[in-house]
Amino acid sequence: MSDERYVDAPPAGAAGWGEVWRTNQRYRTRGALQSLLDRILRRGSAADLDRQRDFNLALLDLLSDVRAEIENARADARDAVQTLQADVQSGDEALAAGIKSVRDLIPIASRRNDALVAALDQKIESVAARLRDAMNAPVQTEPRGPRPEAAVYRRLEDSLRGSESLVRDALLPYFELAKSNQPVLDIGCGRGEFLALCREASLSARGFDTNERSIADLKQRGLEVTLAGVPECFDGIAGASIGSILATHVVEHLPVDILFAFFAESARVLRRDGLLMIETPNAESLLVTGSDFWRDPTHLAPRHPAALVLLGREHGFDVHELRAVHPYPDAARLPVSPDDPAEVRRLTEAINERFFGPQDLRLILRKR
């Protein structure tokens, strides 16, 4: 019985051809005569057919090895690409994190730089004040000479109020109102920033202060100032003769009876539609009333806006403007993130408003 094996159709792929050659499979022949001829020819060429089979098998093995190497190379390339992509992604994420970190540090550095510049300005102003005190003789108020605490308060004022340029900028809203409401009285004129603004614009302005050193310095600079406090500063001023009165950071220094007298005298000397412009620490900010307010030992008590408005109405004034000004830097407030739940944002904003509200209160009253 013949052990010959046959293949009816070409095999698929190199593995199929390898199986055909290893098992010596042949296509079937048609007809007895053709089959006989095939046998005769195979007997004569058996050695050549064996060599051809061995060559074909070796070639197929080589092709298989090449394909395996190609697949390994592809796998290595895929792994390398994936590693490179992961490295690039990690690099991008690290770069983005670094950029964000730098961006977060920029405002912090800016605030620190601003704080350093402000501190340097205060130091320079303090030295300048000491030089002025040494060069200008203080105004004599008593036979025994000027009060020594006047110079001390000058230095305290310099450290608390900030640089003159900063104060001038804060006074610009009052200056703009005073332009159309002259003449002007500056009660508690201090270092004279407002009076200097008025002189530069040829506004008629006169200042009063209780500090002998400040008054001596302002007189030396040619400003019209008088050593007097409330209510004596209003003596000799005719009724309804003044266009506007400025009192920045004054009312918190006054005892209650003097505060009442301040409103009464202001109502007396201001003409109709005249302005009483008051700025004072914001009593509705807990950071102000609980800490910053008491940095000045001459402060008596925060003045609540409701009380000041009531006193104004009682003395014939209407409210022209009432608002909190000069907010604290963002670094002093609790941070609010857009990713926080709405309830958390509302609570944080409420805390910021109550605890870290703006530093000062601006109240502008108009005489009826």
Side-chain angles (χ1 to χ4, degrees):
M1 186 174 190
S2 176
D3 60 353
E4 292 181 347
R5 300 176 63 185
Y6 297 94
V7 60
D8 295 324
W17 278 110
E19 179 66 18
V20 168
W21 284 105
R22 276 191 294 272
T23 58
N24 201 25
Q25 298 180 47
R26 297 189 300 276
Y27 290 108
R28 293 182 182 276
T29 57
R30 298 180 179 179
L33 179 60
Q34 186 176 0
S35 177
L36 176 62
L37 291 174
D38 287 343
R39 288 194 186 96
I40 294 171
L41 289 174
R42 282 199 300 274
R43 288 174 183 174
S45 60
D48 292 335
L49 289 174
D50 289 343
R51 285 194 297 273
Q52 182 67 49
R53 180 192 63 198
D54 293 341
F55 174 78
N56 290 345
L57 288 173
L59 186 61
L60 289 173
D61 289 340
L62 178 61
L63 179 60
S64 178
D65 291 341
V66 170
R67 286 180 173 175
E69 291 295 331
I70 291 174
E71 287 300 322
N72 290 335
R74 284 178 176 174
D76 292 342
R78 283 195 299 269
D79 292 342
V81 170
Q82 290 174 354
T83 302
L84 178 60
Q85 289 175 338
D87 291 342
V88 170
Q89 183 177 359
S90 298
D92 288 344
E93 292 173 353
L95 180 60
I99 292 174
K100 182 180 184 302
S101 178
V102 170
R103 286 177 176 172
D104 292 341
L105 288 174
I106 287 174
I108 295 175
S110 177
R111 289 193 294 269
R112 289 180 177 175
N113 182 63
D114 291 344
L116 289 173
V117 171
L120 181 60
D121 285 344
Q122 290 183 359
K123 292 289 186 182
I124 294 173
E125 181 57 34
S126 179
V127 172
R130 287 175 181 263
L131 289 175
R132 291 193 296 267
D133 291 343
M135 296 174 63
N136 299 332
V139 176
Q140 297 287 334
T141 57
E142 300 180 17
R144 64 175 181 273
R147 296 173 299 138
E149 63 267 22
V152 175
Y153 185 75
R154 269 286 298 278
R155 291 191 284 275
L156 178 66
E157 182 182 40
D158 290 334
S159 67
L160 295 178
R161 285 179 64 82
S163 67
E164 288 195 18
S165 60
L166 183 66
V167 174
R168 282 171 62 100
D169 290 342
L171 291 172
L172 287 176
Y174 308 110
F175 170 70
E176 293 298 326
L177 289 170
K179 284 181 179 179
S180 55
N181 293 274
Q182 301 181 59
V184 188
L185 300 182
D186 186 0
I187 310 299
C189 56
R191 298 181 307 198
E193 294 93 345
F194 184 75
L195 294 175
L197 282 171
C198 292
R199 180 171 63 181
E200 292 166 9
S202 300
L203 270 64
S204 175
R206 180 181 176 187
F208 299 89
D209 204 280
T210 58
N211 190 292
E212 301 98 320
R213 294 283 182 177
S214 296
I215 292 299
D217 176 47
L218 297 179
K219 283 182 176 291
Q220 181 70 22
R221 291 162 57 188
L223 296 169
E224 185 179 356
V225 291
T226 301
L227 182 68
V230 179
E232 294 80 16
C233 60
F234 295 101
D235 292 347
I237 298 178
S241 62
I242 301 299
S244 57
I245 296 173
L246 176 67
T248 61
H249 295 273
V250 171
V251 296
E252 65 271 17
H253 295 268
L254 303 179
V256 173
D257 57 334
I258 304 300
L259 180 64
F260 289 177
F262 167 74
F263 274 89
E265 286 296 298
S266 296
R268 180 183 67 82
V269 301
L270 282 169
R271 60 173 175 256
R272 185 177 180 181
D273 289 329
L275 299 177
L276 175 56
M277 302 180 291
I278 296 172
E279 184 175 298
T280 185
N282 183 11
E284 294 188 306
S285 171
L286 294 181
L287 181 57
V288 171
T289 58
S291 176
D292 290 354
F293 182 85
W294 304 107
R295 292 169 62 193
D296 188 339
T298 64
H299 283 173
L300 294 181
R303 300 304 180 191
H304 197 279
L308 296 177
V309 169
L310 176 62
L311 285 172
R313 294 191 189 281
E314 288 291 326
H315 289 88
F317 290 96
D318 291 326
V319 176
H320 177 76
E321 181 182 353
L322 175 63
R323 59 188 295 240
V325 294
H326 309 144
Y328 280 102
D330 289 340
R333 299 164 63 88
L334 297 178
V336 180
S337 172
D339 298 330
D340 292 336
E343 296 79 3
V344 174
R345 292 200 305 271
R346 285 195 295 268
L347 178 60
T348 304
E349 290 167 357
I351 292 174
N352 279 333
E353 185 65 24
R354 178 58 62 186
F355 281 81
F356 309 106
Q359 302 171 68
D360 298 309
L361 175 75
R362 176 185 298 161
L363 173 62
I364 299 177
L365 301 168
R366 186 178 294 277
K367 178 70 180 301
R368 289 196 293 267

